[in-house]
Amino acid sequence: MEREKYFATRTRGMKRSVIRELLKLTSKPEVISFAGGLPAPKTFPVEDVRKAAIDVLDNSAALALQYGSTEGDANLRRELAGVMKADGIDADPDHILVTTASQQGLDLISKVFLDPGDTCVCGLPTYLGGLQAIKSYEGVPVGTPLDDEGMIPEELEKTLDTLEAQNRKPRFLYIIPDFQNPAGVTIPLARRKRIVEIASNRDCLIVEDTPYRQIRFSGEHQPTFQSLAPERVISLYTFSKILLPGFRVGWVYGPDWVVDKMVMAKQSSDLCTSPFCQAIAARMLSEGVLEKGLAETIKLYKHRCALMLKCLDENLSGIPGVHWTRPEGGLFLWLRLPKGNNTTELFQEAIDMNVAYVPGSAFYPEGDDHTGMRLNFSYSDDDKIIEGVRRLSALIRKTVGK
Amino acid sequence: MEREKYFATRTRGMKRSVIRELLKLTSKPEVISFAGGLPAPKTFPVEDVRKAAIDVLDNSAALALQYGSTEGDANLRRELAGVMKADGIDADPDHILVTTASQQGLDLISKVFLDPGDTCVCGLPTYLGGLQAIKSYEGVPVGTPLDDEGMIPEELEKTLDTLEAQNRKPRFLYIIPDFQNPAGVTIPLARRKRIVEIASNRDCLIVEDTPYRQIRFSGEHQPTFQSLAPERVISLYTFSKILLPGFRVGWVYGPDWVVDKMVMAKQSSDLCTSPFCQAIAARMLSEGVLEKGLAETIKLYKHRCALMLKCLDENLSGIPGVHWTRPEGGLFLWLRLPKGNNTTELFQEAIDMNVAYVPGSAFYPEGDDHTGMRLNFSYSDDDKIIEGVRRLSALIRKTVGK
């Protein structure tokens, strides 16, 4: 279209995502949707938000309703350092930048690090929003395979070797170590150490995206990349999955020389994250709302995940080439069909049967792998999980059996 | 520094603004600061925020605390269209994109339109945050002079001719038509029409930034650029100055083909603006809080502006080459010293006398004009305005008289 000439190069290619258009179909009330990435509304601590909001308006309205510093509310940053310390990270509040949730963290990292054509390496499949942020600065996400234990060090080395042979040095590795979106897999400690070693040998930064980390319902807590290699790891956090998404509050933690540039980048991006939401969040943290709420959230998601797995086991066990992951936490699992199947094409049939998922191609930079689908287990209640998996399984059995 | 090599080109040059470092000195309690751009906290409708927040939590917590659409809350967009209609714009809610206040509007416009080296034309002096957004995408702000009636059409033509001769086509004109930041000047209708004509002849888009427009305390309301040329104007709005800054809620309005790209850009920037803050703002608008509050804000700022002007008249009249603007609204006025004076150098002396302003060089892309200073009249109470202008005038009389 002629109007494209008005736009910057990075914008000209930008199209409304096909996937997003497809997902609009899932909003019909009769559709049971495993597509969204939404937390269960019943986990929102509405009463605590009310109490904290009133408290903030009673005692510090002049500050909370005013502009705030780009770095973020000092009380909140202190609380956040506490959250990180409880997770084994010796966090300095001065290295924390409060962001407009972690999508902004991804945007600022891309803004700060990526020139057009610059590469970053990510495990495939990977979070759609991460790919979008990288691409929006004309960066090039380069995939490396995952297995049921996340990023594979040997494969990562091969990917880095290939890039090196092309004289392309990745700006960073993008890793979601815990209950990865979309695959639901977690990297064990030995692999984390090996990946740090590889990054260190190649002088490569690591971006650790950890939105689900606190939602572990089985298995053992693994140390963060941040605790293993603070000098080269930039960690992204958000309240969206562990407290509530509606504040749009997250944070970034990393070496001072990185955070410093991110502060400058954020200043021109949105000046500051809502001081009102920050003040309420700080108040809630100081009252212990996060821990209390997390215990409930973990209980609920553990139950829902187990139920979805049970339904999948009952309905789809033994079909050759149909495989799904068994998450130890988070919100998602990943189901793969045998080669030759296409979950993007299958989507319309699923909608016709009133069930939805995210077609897996969304999580590949080139959109060229169509065998997977992402299933969310956090949002739907028991009846919907049971009935939704029944419908989906019927479709899969029919398709794969063809 | 060696670490600079890790960053993108756009980031390497990024430095903490000298001005911001200077402004840290203004936070000492004994300093009377005319430097900030803060609204008066007494204008914040705290009780209305409380009522709306409780109402939202009682009636729509599950939506307000959840993720929202990138475009923004449907109720809020309907209310915003109403605000625009009251201002003579036939606004379609579907052309509204809710942003994380208007700084994000500037960021998204720059992201969508600017390749490295692309120019945009702005009246000088101009808003620091606009310059930062443009530069953060390696865009090049090109200045054109202002006078007491804002952007000068004849000068604009000259600037565009010069650019054309260099084969550089500006991506947009950046204009703050009403009570411009920092100069406090307003463009009269005839000039607006002429500027639209020029933009139209050269097929150039106009970015109209209007954070203060509703705060007019004298003179006549001028039609927006949006109402004059909807096909080529992108308008930026924010609640920060007319309601409160702490929500970080603003909006963009423009042709669908522009807003469409901005929606995509925002999706990877921060997914959505806080649905909680949006829901509260929508509730407040539907209760008429904006109009009610604006009447009070206008009354207060009118008084404070008149007082500052009276003090300047009494203290500085008749000094050759000392000139200040007489705003009909907004938050700022602009004071210029005779050529050869340097308000950046003078700043330390001002701080020693416990009074502060923003050195004018901050509002020039190259930071090369040092004769001006921005004075804010919205934040300080009467006593401070009187005493602050007394101190500042003493300094100016001493300096200019040298």
Side-chain angles (χ1 to χ4, degrees):
Chain A
M1 192 167 101
E2 188 48 12
R3 274 162 177 169
E4 289 287 300
K5 75 175 181 196
Y6 290 95
F7 295 114
T9 310
R10 74 176 72 80
T11 319
R12 277 181 212 157
M14 249 184 225
K15 288 200 182 68
R16 293 245 173 192
S17 139
V18 178
I19 298 292
R20 267 170 72 92
E21 297 307 309
L22 281 182
L23 293 183
K24 285 188 182 161
L25 301 172
T26 68
S27 63
K28 290 189 296 179
E30 61 274 27
V31 172
I32 296 176
S33 177
F34 302 136
L38 304 184
K42 70 156 79 163
T43 64
F44 300 159
V46 182
E47 271 317 303
D48 296 302
V49 174
R50 181 203 309 261
K51 255 190 260 170
I54 289 173
D55 186 73
V56 163
L57 290 169
D58 280 348
N59 296 305
S60 50
L63 279 177
L65 302 180
Q66 188 57 278
Y67 287 100
S69 77
T70 304
E71 291 84 351
D73 179 296
N75 291 331
L76 179 60
R77 290 160 85 208
R78 227 175 358 252
E79 292 290 341
L80 296 175
V83 169
M84 295 176 68
K85 274 181 188 144
D87 191 19
I89 298 162
D90 183 24
D92 176 350
D94 286 344
H95 288 213
I96 291 175
L97 167 63
V98 176
T99 58
T100 306
S102 65
Q103 187 65 41
Q104 186 184 47
L106 289 166
D107 178 73
L108 294 178
I109 284 171
S110 302
K111 193 174 192 176
V112 157
F113 286 109
L114 298 178
D115 276 322
D118 279 347
T119 56
C120 22
V121 173
C122 43
L124 293 188
T126 200
Y127 172 54
L128 175 58
L131 295 175
Q132 285 178 328
I134 290 165
K135 287 180 171 183
S136 78
Y137 291 92
E138 297 169 79
V140 180
V142 174
T144 191
L146 296 183
D147 64 16
D148 284 358
E149 297 191 327
M151 197 176 272
I152 308 162
E154 297 69 35
E155 293 291 337
L156 173 61
E157 289 226 89
K158 277 190 222 164
T159 305
L160 292 171
D161 285 343
T162 307
L163 285 173
E164 205 171 293
Q166 298 164 353
N167 211 6
R168 297 160 85 191
K169 183 176 161 50
R171 290 288 182 174
F172 54 81
L173 313 182
Y174 175 55
I175 306 182
I176 308 163
D178 303 286
F179 331 123
Q180 198 249 19
N181 180 357
V185 296
T186 299
I187 309 179
L189 177 58
R191 276 202 186 179
R192 291 183 192 221
K193 286 184 174 164
R194 185 70 196 110
I195 290 169
V196 162
E197 221 170 67
I198 293 168
S200 173
N201 288 340
R202 311 225 181 196
D203 188 25
C204 196
L205 295 168
I206 295 174
V207 173
E208 172 178 46
D209 191 4
T210 63
Y212 325 105
R213 176 167 171 80
Q214 282 88 341
I215 307 173
R216 175 179 279 278
F217 38 73
S218 66
E220 247 180 70
H221 228 57
Q222 303 297 323
T224 56
F225 278 91
Q226 184 61 244
S227 67
L228 296 175
E231 73 289 356
R232 68 176 62 254
V233 176
I234 305 149
S235 300
L236 301 177
Y237 294 88
T238 178
F239 283 135
S240 298
K241 304 302 194 298
I242 60 175
L243 190 68
L244 56 91
F247 289 162
R248 310 306 296 131
V249 174
W251 70 103
V252 165
Y253 190 86
D256 55 355
W257 60 277
V258 174
V259 173
D260 206 50
K261 292 278 190 188
M262 291 183 72
V263 170
M264 291 181 247
K266 179 172 169 72
Q267 211 192 327
S268 73
S269 285
D270 68 359
L271 290 180
C272 63
T273 292
S274 167
F276 182 54
C277 291
Q278 287 188 68
I280 297 173
R283 197 84 201 90
M284 290 170 74
L285 290 195
S286 76
E287 295 289 330
V289 172
L290 185 62
E291 294 87 332
K292 197 184 69 181
L294 265 173
E296 292 297 310
T297 303
I298 291 169
K299 210 172 118 188
L300 180 68
Y301 293 2
K302 177 179 186 159
H303 167 77
R304 288 183 173 177
C305 179
L307 180 62
M308 186 174 272
L309 287 170
K310 179 168 164 273
C311 295
L312 289 169
D313 289 343
E314 287 173 1
N315 283 281
L316 290 174
S317 277
I319 306 182
V322 178
H323 172 84
W324 54 94
T325 57
R326 308 191 83 85
E328 297 183 335
L331 281 74
F332 307 109
L333 63 82
W334 181 251
L335 186 149
R336 226 184 247 291
L337 302 184
K339 268 196 186 135
N341 287 278
N342 185 319
T343 58
T344 313
E345 287 172 20
L346 209 59
F347 187 80
Q348 187 59 55
E349 274 186 76
I351 289 292
D352 292 343
M353 291 173 75
N354 290 325
V355 64
Y357 53 82
V358 182
S361 60
F363 306 100
Y364 289 83
E366 312 297 333
D368 51 354
D369 185 319
H370 293 277
T371 59
M373 60 175 73
R374 189 187 76 178
L375 300 180
N376 167 277
F377 51 76
S378 62
Y379 189 74
S380 305
D381 61 24
D382 291 8
D383 290 352
K384 290 202 167 155
I385 290 178
I386 294 166
E387 176 58 21
V389 173
R390 201 195 55 73
R391 292 178 193 169
L392 188 63
S393 300
L395 176 65
I396 290 174
R397 298 187 79 90
K398 193 186 80 175
T399 308
V400 174
K402 262 179 193 165
Chain B
M1 190 168 103
E2 187 48 11
R3 275 162 177 167
E4 289 289 299
K5 75 175 182 195
Y6 290 95
F7 295 114
T9 309
R10 74 177 72 81
T11 318
R12 278 180 212 159
M14 250 184 223
K15 287 199 183 67
R16 293 243 174 194
S17 138
V18 178
I19 298 292
R20 266 171 72 92
E21 298 306 309
L22 281 181
L23 293 182
K24 284 186 182 160
L25 301 171
T26 68
S27 63
K28 289 190 296 180
E30 61 273 27
V31 172
I32 295 175
S33 177
F34 302 137
L38 304 184
K42 71 156 80 165
T43 64
F44 300 159
V46 182
E47 270 317 302
D48 297 303
V49 174
R50 181 203 310 261
K51 255 189 260 167
I54 290 173
D55 186 75
V56 163
L57 291 169
D58 280 349
N59 297 305
S60 50
L63 279 177
L65 302 181
Q66 189 56 279
Y67 286 100
S69 77
T70 304
E71 291 83 350
D73 179 295
N75 291 331
L76 179 60
R77 290 160 86 208
R78 225 173 3 251
E79 291 290 341
L80 296 175
V83 169
M84 295 177 68
K85 274 181 187 142
D87 192 19
I89 299 160
D90 183 26
D92 175 350
D94 285 344
H95 289 213
I96 291 175
L97 167 63
V98 176
T99 57
T100 306
S102 65
Q103 187 65 40
Q104 187 184 47
L106 290 166
D107 178 74
L108 294 177
I109 285 171
S110 302
K111 192 174 192 176
V112 156
F113 287 110
L114 299 178
D115 276 320
D118 279 348
T119 57
C120 21
V121 173
C122 42
L124 293 188
T126 200
Y127 172 54
L128 175 58
L131 295 176
Q132 284 178 328
I134 291 165
K135 287 179 171 184
S136 78
Y137 291 91
E138 297 170 79
V140 180
V142 174
T144 191
L146 297 183
D147 64 15
D148 284 358
E149 297 191 327
M151 197 175 269
I152 308 163
E154 297 70 33
E155 294 290 339
L156 173 62
E157 289 228 89
K158 277 189 223 165
T159 305
L160 292 171
D161 285 343
T162 306
L163 284 172
E164 204 170 294
Q166 296 164 353
N167 213 5
R168 297 160 87 190
K169 183 175 160 53
R171 289 288 181 173
F172 54 80
L173 313 181
Y174 174 56
I175 305 183
I176 309 163
D178 303 284
F179 332 122
Q180 198 249 18
N181 180 358
V185 297
T186 299
I187 308 178
L189 178 58
R191 277 201 186 178
R192 292 183 191 222
K193 285 184 174 164
R194 185 69 195 110
I195 291 168
V196 162
E197 221 170 69
I198 294 168
S200 173
N201 289 341
R202 311 226 181 194
D203 187 27
C204 196
L205 295 169
I206 295 174
V207 173
E208 172 178 47
D209 191 5
T210 62
Y212 325 105
R213 177 169 170 79
Q214 281 90 341
I215 307 173
R216 175 178 279 279
F217 36 75
S218 67
E220 246 180 71
H221 227 60
Q222 304 297 323
T224 55
F225 278 91
Q226 184 61 244
S227 67
L228 296 174
E231 74 287 357
R232 68 176 61 256
V233 176
I234 305 148
S235 301
L236 300 178
Y237 295 87
T238 178
F239 282 136
S240 298
K241 305 302 194 299
I242 61 176
L243 189 68
L244 56 90
F247 288 162
R248 311 306 296 132
V249 174
W251 70 104
V252 165
Y253 189 87
D256 55 355
W257 58 277
V258 174
V259 173
D260 206 51
K261 291 279 190 187
M262 290 182 72
V263 170
M264 291 180 247
K266 180 173 168 70
Q267 212 193 325
S268 72
S269 285
D270 68 359
L271 289 181
C272 64
T273 292
S274 167
F276 182 54
C277 291
Q278 288 189 66
I280 297 173
R283 198 82 202 91
M284 290 171 73
L285 290 194
S286 76
E287 295 289 331
V289 173
L290 185 62
E291 295 86 331
K292 197 184 68 179
L294 265 172
E296 292 297 309
T297 303
I298 291 169
K299 210 172 117 190
L300 180 68
Y301 292 2
K302 176 179 187 159
H303 167 76
R304 289 184 171 176
C305 180
L307 180 62
M308 186 175 272
L309 286 170
K310 180 167 162 279
C311 294
L312 288 169
D313 289 344
E314 286 173 2
N315 283 281
L316 290 173
S317 277
I319 306 184
V322 178
H323 172 84
W324 55 94
T325 56
R326 307 191 83 86
E328 297 183 335
L331 282 74
F332 307 109
L333 63 80
W334 180 250
L335 187 148
R336 226 183 245 291
L337 302 185
K339 266 192 188 139
N341 287 280
N342 186 318
T343 58
T344 313
E345 287 172 20
L346 210 58
F347 187 78
Q348 187 58 56
E349 273 186 76
I351 289 292
D352 293 343
M353 293 175 71
N354 290 325
V355 63
Y357 53 81
V358 182
S361 61
F363 306 100
Y364 290 83
E366 312 296 333
D368 52 354
D369 186 319
H370 293 278
T371 59
M373 61 175 72
R374 189 188 77 177
L375 300 180
N376 167 276
F377 50 77
S378 63
Y379 189 73
S380 305
D381 61 24
D382 290 8
D383 289 352
K384 291 203 167 157
I385 290 178
I386 294 167
E387 177 57 20
V389 173
R390 201 195 55 72
R391 292 179 193 169
L392 189 63
S393 300
L395 176 64
I396 290 174
R397 297 188 80 89
K398 195 187 78 171
T399 308
V400 174
K402 263 181 193 163

